[in-house]
């Protein structure tokens, strides 16, 4: 049976990830046939800079796929079958603020964790809903949005509340990046791993890692005790997560597991479980945003310039798990493959003792009707309590955004485990309100001058 080809739109076409995602699509055309790829972005200049690189990647594989670059939503989504969303509201300039403002107050400064992630959430929820509405207006009624936009946990919760029936599947490449490293340690292909996992996005644990039915946690524990979740050739196994700060992050799995050896933590747990150590070992004036702007982004812009001038495209982008994973998920949605992937879904009882409607990250079968979460059952008190606190922080942030409530935002910041006190929370929130004037909804105080 021949499959009829899809129209795919990439929202956030100007992202540094676009060429890698498109390359992943090109090597999978037999599984996921395409008639057209459309790039959509609100930043025309940025998207136009990257578009020729993307076009070249397409033309290296296909003469027939139509390529469209647009800032117009109708042109972007009209009749589309799939939308890959990867918006970054405020771009790297605001990521830098998310990271540096908390650090000025001695608190973790990170893209998606702690106050930085909460700030990013306040910027992203409403634009994400706008995007969903545009897709629903123009795209095929059965179109799926596969969403990488961060902070994924908060975005997922915002979308659940505002557009509960939207055909959006929220995903994250962190579990699959960890699995790729585990596979490298075990010397197998990552597709041979069969894992159990529970948590929230950027906040969870692998509870079992099997190869052909055999439990590999003991072998992984042994490796992690010596090296963290990293092999010697990290750059080879993991072209994306191989900058110095990522190498450090993979190493930190070691102290996390020395304390709690039972499960393998998501690397992002370092920010919640050892926040002061992270802050002490970080340069507050040169954060990950700087590393990305001076690295991945610069390399891509330089490659685009070189390609324009010489017609030769240097290999400046990586085709890693990030691209491969979104294509896997899209295939499973498109053809009802019912593959088992770790995705962000409404709990619906999968984790028995977390709320029914919490947006959790667990294994799910990806069907053409969406994800069907797989039952995890009860979880230990320690993990459950951490998860409940994080969930409350994220849910309050969503409520703060929707209600324009300063108090709820302050509660969200205060409840976050990276934040040591309400004094820190308030100072950071107030600085962030200043820095995000262009982006945040207004946050009003319920009690002004004691009234
Ligand atoms: C992982 C996470 C993403 C995050 C990215 C940041 O892949 O899953 O959610 O955006 O790391 O990577 P970067 O290289 O931009 O620091
Ligand atoms: Mn992620």
């Amino acid at each position: 049976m021949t499959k009829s080809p899809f129209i795919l739109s990439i929202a956030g076409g100007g992202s540094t990830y676009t060429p890698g995602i498109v390359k992943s699509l090109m090597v999978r055309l037999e599984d996921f046939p395409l008639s057209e790829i459309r790039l959509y972005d609100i930043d025309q200049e940025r998207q136009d800079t990257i578009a020729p690189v993307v076009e070249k990647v397409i033309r290296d594989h296909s003469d027939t796929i139509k390529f469209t670059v647009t800032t117009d939503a109708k042109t972007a989504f009209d009749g589309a079958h799939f939308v890959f969303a990867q918006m970054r509201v405020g771009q790297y300039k605001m990521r830098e603020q998310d990271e540096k403002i908390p650090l000025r107050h001695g608190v973790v400064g990170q893209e998606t964790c702690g106050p930085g992630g909460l700030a990013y959430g306040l910027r992203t929820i409403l634009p994400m809903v706008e995007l969903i509405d545009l897709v629903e207006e123009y795209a095929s009624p059965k179109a799926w949005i596969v969403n990488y936009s961060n902070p994924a946990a908060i975005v997922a919760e915002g979308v659940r509340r505002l557009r509960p029936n939207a055909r959006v599947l929220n995903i994250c490449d962190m579990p699959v990046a960890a699995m790729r490293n585990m596979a490298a340690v075990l010397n197998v292909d990552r597709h041979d791993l069969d894992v159990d996992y529970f948590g929230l996005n950027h906040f969870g644990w692998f509870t079992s890692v099997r190869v052909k039915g055999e439990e590999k946690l003991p072998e992984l524990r042994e490796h992690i005790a010596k090296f963290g979740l990293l092999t010697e050739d990290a750059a080879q196994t993991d072209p994306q997560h191989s900058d110095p700060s990522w190498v450090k992050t993979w190493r930190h799995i070691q102290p996390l597991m020395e304390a709690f050896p039972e499960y393998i933590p998501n690397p992002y747990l370092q920010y919640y479980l050892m926040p002061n150590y992270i802050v002490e070992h970080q340069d507050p004036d040169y954060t990950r945003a700087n590393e990305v702007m001076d690295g991945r982004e610069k390399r891509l812009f330089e490659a685009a310039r070189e390609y324009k001038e010489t017609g030769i495209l240097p290999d400046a982008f990586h085709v890693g798990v990030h691209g491969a994973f979104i294509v896997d998920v899209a295939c499973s949605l498109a053809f009802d493959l019912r593959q088992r992937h770790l995705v962000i879904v409404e709990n619906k009882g999968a984790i028995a003792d977390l709320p029914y409607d919490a947006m959790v990250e667990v294994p799910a079968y990806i069907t053409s009707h969406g994800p069907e979460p797989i039952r995890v059952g009860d979880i230990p008190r320690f993990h459950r309590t951490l998860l409940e606190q994080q969930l409350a922080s994220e849910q309050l942030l969503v409520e703060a955004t929707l209600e324009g409530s300063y108090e709820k935002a302050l509660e969200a910041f205060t409840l976050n485990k990276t934040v040591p006190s309400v004094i820190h929370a308030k100072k950071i929130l107030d600085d962030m309100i200043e820095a995000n004037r262009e982006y945040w909804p207004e946050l009003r105080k319920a009690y002004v001058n004691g009234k």
Side-chain angles (χ1 to χ4, degrees):
M1 191 183 75
T2 50
K3 301 170 175 171
S4 41
F6 300 119
I7 299 172
L8 170 86
S9 308
I10 301 184
S15 161
T16 51
Y17 289 117
T18 306
I21 287 183
V22 170
K23 175 86 185 188
S24 302
L25 286 163
M26 291 303 103
V27 298
R28 297 287 298 278
L29 280 174
E30 268 181 36
D31 302 325
F32 194 74
L34 291 168
S35 59
E36 183 172 354
I37 293 181
R38 300 179 187 157
L39 302 191
Y40 170 70
D41 206 304
I42 54 172
D43 182 341
Q44 178 167 9
E45 195 189 336
R46 188 183 171 101
Q47 179 165 262
D48 284 349
T49 306
I50 289 169
V53 172
V54 177
E55 184 164 24
K56 166 81 172 127
V57 172
I58 295 173
R59 290 297 160 248
D60 282 348
H61 293 83
S62 161
D63 297 326
T64 54
I65 294 174
K66 191 172 165 207
F67 180 56
T68 305
V69 182
T70 184
T71 55
D72 174 60
K74 182 169 189 321
T75 312
F77 302 129
D78 199 19
H81 304 100
F82 278 88
V83 177
F84 288 0
Q86 43 168 2
M87 63 165 71
R88 183 178 284 283
V89 181
Q91 301 184 332
Y92 287 130
K93 171 176 73 71
M94 287 309 294
R95 175 175 180 177
E96 187 179 10
Q97 293 300 311
D98 293 342
E99 293 168 353
K100 289 186 177 172
I101 293 171
L103 281 168
R104 280 210 294 273
H105 299 282
V107 172
V108 167
Q110 214 280 327
E111 175 198 21
T112 62
C113 300
L118 297 172
Y120 192 11
L122 263 152
R123 288 201 301 279
T124 310
I125 294 170
L126 299 178
M128 186 65 207
V129 169
E130 268 172 50
L131 175 72
I132 292 169
D133 289 350
L134 290 168
V135 172
E136 286 188 350
E137 186 173 350
Y138 299 120
S140 147
K142 292 217 152 169
W144 273 103
I145 301 174
V146 190
N147 182 43
Y148 258 143
S149 308
N150 267 328
I154 289 170
V155 168
E157 173 65 7
V159 169
R160 184 187 71 80
R161 294 216 190 185
L162 291 175
R163 296 292 181 271
N165 300 318
R167 290 165 68 91
V168 180
L169 178 54
N170 297 288
I171 61 167
C172 166
D173 65 359
M174 198 73 263
V176 95
M179 285 164 68
R180 182 249 343 267
N181 285 18
M182 291 173 196
V185 171
L186 299 170
N187 214 357
V188 296
D189 187 274
R190 100 182 141 80
H191 295 97
D192 296 335
L193 298 184
D194 186 13
V195 302
D196 293 335
Y197 184 94
F198 71 80
L200 308 172
N201 179 238
H202 291 187
F203 202 116
W205 293 265
F206 291 91
T207 59
S208 172
V209 179
R210 299 174 296 275
V211 176
K212 295 199 179 96
E214 194 188 331
E215 184 57 71
K216 294 291 182 185
L217 273 184
E219 197 175 331
L220 288 167
R221 275 190 203 107
E222 239 176 83
H223 180 95
I224 288 167
K226 292 193 204 121
F227 310 108
L229 189 49
L230 197 70
T231 51
E232 269 174 35
D233 54 346
Q236 239 180 327
T237 28
D238 186 355
Q240 178 190 356
H241 304 102
S242 63
D243 283 340
S245 58
W246 270 110
V247 169
K248 240 174 32 178
T249 296
W250 293 120
R251 291 231 165 88
H252 288 161
I253 301 279
Q254 188 265 324
L256 291 173
M257 277 191 81
E258 193 179 313
F260 306 111
E262 195 171 9
Y263 303 148
I264 299 180
N266 187 301
Y268 281 98
L269 280 164
Q270 66 173 345
Y271 299 111
Y272 300 98
L273 295 179
M274 37 197 242
N276 48 349
Y277 179 89
I278 296 291
V279 173
E280 279 156 27
H281 291 80
Q282 190 175 351
D283 179 351
D285 299 317
Y286 193 84
T287 59
R288 179 64 189 157
N290 302 110
E291 213 175 48
V292 171
M293 287 186 275
D294 293 343
R296 183 167 72 232
E297 186 178 52
K298 198 164 166 204
R299 279 195 300 276
L300 179 57
F301 286 158
E302 274 170 8
R305 189 174 40 80
E306 206 175 316
Y307 177 57
K308 198 169 160 193
E309 285 165 9
T310 65
I312 297 163
L313 181 62
D315 196 6
F317 54 90
H318 38 255
V319 194
V321 287
H322 184 84
F325 182 55
I326 196 167
V327 179
D328 276 344
V329 168
C331 282
S332 202
L333 280 171
F335 302 111
D336 200 30
L337 301 182
R338 309 185 74 86
Q339 284 173 356
R340 191 178 194 270
H341 291 293
L342 300 183
V343 294
I344 302 157
V345 287
E346 191 171 348
N347 185 24
K348 293 187 177 159
I351 303 176
D353 34 16
L354 281 190
Y356 189 85
D357 61 2
M359 294 304 289
V360 296
E361 197 165 86
V362 291
Y365 295 116
I366 310 300
T367 80
S368 55
H369 304 288
E372 284 176 9
I374 294 168
R375 186 177 159 73
V376 172
D378 294 327
I379 56 173
R381 181 197 297 265
F382 174 67
H383 306 81
R384 190 188 69 224
T385 310
L386 287 168
L387 287 167
E388 282 169 346
Q389 181 173 354
Q390 176 68 7
L391 182 65
S393 171
E394 290 169 350
Q395 291 189 332
L396 282 163
L397 192 281
V398 172
E399 287 169 19
T401 311
L402 306 190
E403 297 166 22
S405 163
Y406 179 90
E407 282 80 5
K408 285 202 169 169
L410 186 57
E411 288 175 352
F413 277 56
T414 307
L415 261 185
N416 200 280
K417 201 167 156 49
T418 60
V419 179
S421 78
V422 67
I423 297 168
H424 293 83
K426 186 162 187 323
K427 283 186 181 155
I428 296 168
L429 176 60
D430 289 344
D431 282 2
M432 282 180 153
I433 289 175
E434 268 311 300
N436 282 279
R437 285 219 176 277
E438 256 183 81
Y439 301 100
W440 281 9
E442 191 195 345
L443 298 180
R444 288 173 304 276
K445 294 181 180 163
Y447 305 93
V448 181
N449 298 330
K451 288 184 203 143

